[in-house]
Amino acid sequence: MKRLNILIWHIHGSYLNTLARIEHNWYLPVKEGRPEGYGGRGPTFDLPGYVHEVAADQVANLPLDLVIFQTPKNYFTDQYEILSPAQRELPKIYLEHNTPRPHASDTSHPINDPSVLLVHVTHYNRLMWDNGQAPTMVIEHSVAIDPEAHYSGDYDKGITIVNGIQKRPRIAGYDLFLQTRQSIPLDIAGMQTEEFGGLGDIPYRDLHRRIGHYRFLFSPIRYTSLPLAVIEAMTIGMPVVALATTELPTVIENGKNGYISCDIDMLMKQMRHLLDNPSLARQMGEYAHQVALERFGLDRFIRDWNEAFARVTRTSALST
């Protein structure tokens, strides 16, 4: 398809890092006072040269083809502040990263608009949200990480990767991490984790080489979309130990690419088993890598997103 000019807000850095591998012209609106590292050439992400930061008050001058929203604020507030009337008539996609809240099955999605394509990142999410009149599509995750990052598992420790886990204690499983750390050698990386002895925010370009030394990834998250950290770990060939919630039961196969259960005591038993059996962990990691390539490969992700772009731009052309 032709190269598009796409406006998207910088909401989810790891996801944007992958989405930006699709060779269109991406524009990120920014305002004065944004935190250091927000946007393309910050210290955490290395985005391609066709990703451009643009001052919010200049967005109305851009020759856009498509707008992607990711939060209710983007859709209900930001677009009316920075887009021109003509730009507000452009094809629109709403990218929903999250599981429904507050109720798992009876929460109506705020974007109840038949002219907006609602893209979910997991089939679980599309199933559980009440999507109203919005047309929907599922584009499963992928990751764009350093191809030189590989699993060795030479540390007799596990690793958890969650940003701000203590700020979302029940959903993100902060209590489960602390409980597990009492009896299992376990480190944690992510923003604000240094506040309780963690490794802090490791730049994305370095993260996967660092975590590849750990024996397994432990995801204590109770209720979010499929964590990108899980896919990143699998991609480098690392086994995963996780709770059997949301989309994860379709990704982790017990005893093949990791362990999954709602019984935290059982999971800790399996963590000890991996710590005691590094060769088994490597074997599981090899299968995890195979699953990641087949299900979450970057080529498939790019094809799916280009299909979504073609769908909304074609529909828009037919309606004019």
Side-chain angles (χ1 to χ4, degrees), residues 77 88-89 114 144 150 157 165 167 222 259 268 279 295:
T77 301
R88 292 199 293 272
E89 299 300 318
H150 298 290
K157 287 183 174 183
I165 187 173
K167 299 183 183 301
R222 285 184 171 92
Y259 295 103
M268 285 193 282
S279 60
R295 182 166 173 181

Side-chain angles (χ1 to χ4, degrees), residues 124-144:
Y124 177 90
N125 288 8
R126 179 165 71 171
L127 175 71
M128 302 307 285
W129 276 105
D130 178 352
N131 298 301
Q133 300 181 73
T136 62
M137 181 176 180
V138 174
I139 299 179
E140 292 197 305
H141 288 305
S142 185
V143 293

Side-chain angles (χ1 to χ4, degrees), residues 78-116:
D78 294 339
Q79 71 164 314
Y80 297 101
E81 292 182 348
I82 69 173
L83 298 181
S84 70
Q87 288 172 331
R88 292 199 293 272
E89 299 300 318
L90 290 170
K92 302 179 185 69
I93 291 175
Y94 190 100
L95 170 58
E96 179 55 72
H97 294 281
N98 299 316
T99 45
R101 293 175 62 189
H103 195 281
S105 63
D106 294 338
T107 299
S108 295
H109 200 279
I111 311 304
N112 185 13
D113 187 338
S115 70
V116 179

Side-chain angles (χ1 to χ4, degrees), residues 16-49:
L16 178 63
N17 182 65
T18 307
L19 195 61
R21 306 303 141 175
I22 308 174
E23 294 188 11
H24 295 290
N25 298 315
W26 299 89
Y27 295 93
L28 312 178
V30 297
K31 296 181 179 179
E32 291 184 7
R34 71 187 191 278
E36 183 182 0
Y38 178 102
R41 257 58 65 184
T44 297
F45 298 99
D46 296 314
L47 300 182

